[in-house]
Amino acid sequence: MTRPNVEVWLEEIKGSAEATRIGMCLIHNGVVRGTTRDGKPVSGMELTYDGDRLQEVIDEARSKPGVIAVKAWVNEGRLNVGDDIMYVLVAADIREHAFGALQELVQRIKTEVVRENEIFESN
């Protein structure tokens, strides 16, 4: 799956009619790491996602106070360590709105949108 060009996303947002309201843009790039949260080694993961649900959580994030724009992309398929899982961009009026919206959106994508199956290394 072709990952987005985040610079293009930023140009689009900064060129929008509401650009004068933007005080901060934050970008999250989730990456496949080589261990689980508890330290078990993995060689990658299988990742699928619900596109309709992704659009719903993006739309809900856009309705948060101070949020001007939201973009998100989720990878899919067999991913190796170091591959991109997702890119998420939130543009908002002030720092607190940007951080809060980004944190909530990434959490919702991880818990409501994607399904990850880690692939464990063979001994």
Side-chain angles (χ1 to χ4, degrees), residues 17-33:
E18 296 193 85
T20 59
R21 294 181 43 224
I22 296 171
M24 176 175 272
C25 294
L26 291 177
I27 299 167
H28 166 81
N29 175 217
V31 178
V32 179
R33 66 177 178 272

Side-chain angles (χ1 to χ4, degrees), residues 78-92:
R78 170 66 161 84
L79 306 180
N80 297 311
V81 172
D83 286 348
D84 296 318
I85 296 172
M86 72 177 79
Y87 280 95
V88 180
L89 185 150
V90 172

Side-chain angles (χ1 to χ4, degrees), residues 3-4 16 23 31 43 57 62 67 84-85 91 112 116 120 122:
R3 67 185 174 126
S16 72
V31 178
S43 60
V57 298
R62 282 189 184 119
V67 173
D84 296 318
I85 296 172
E112 300 175 29
E116 300 174 350
F120 294 95
S122 302

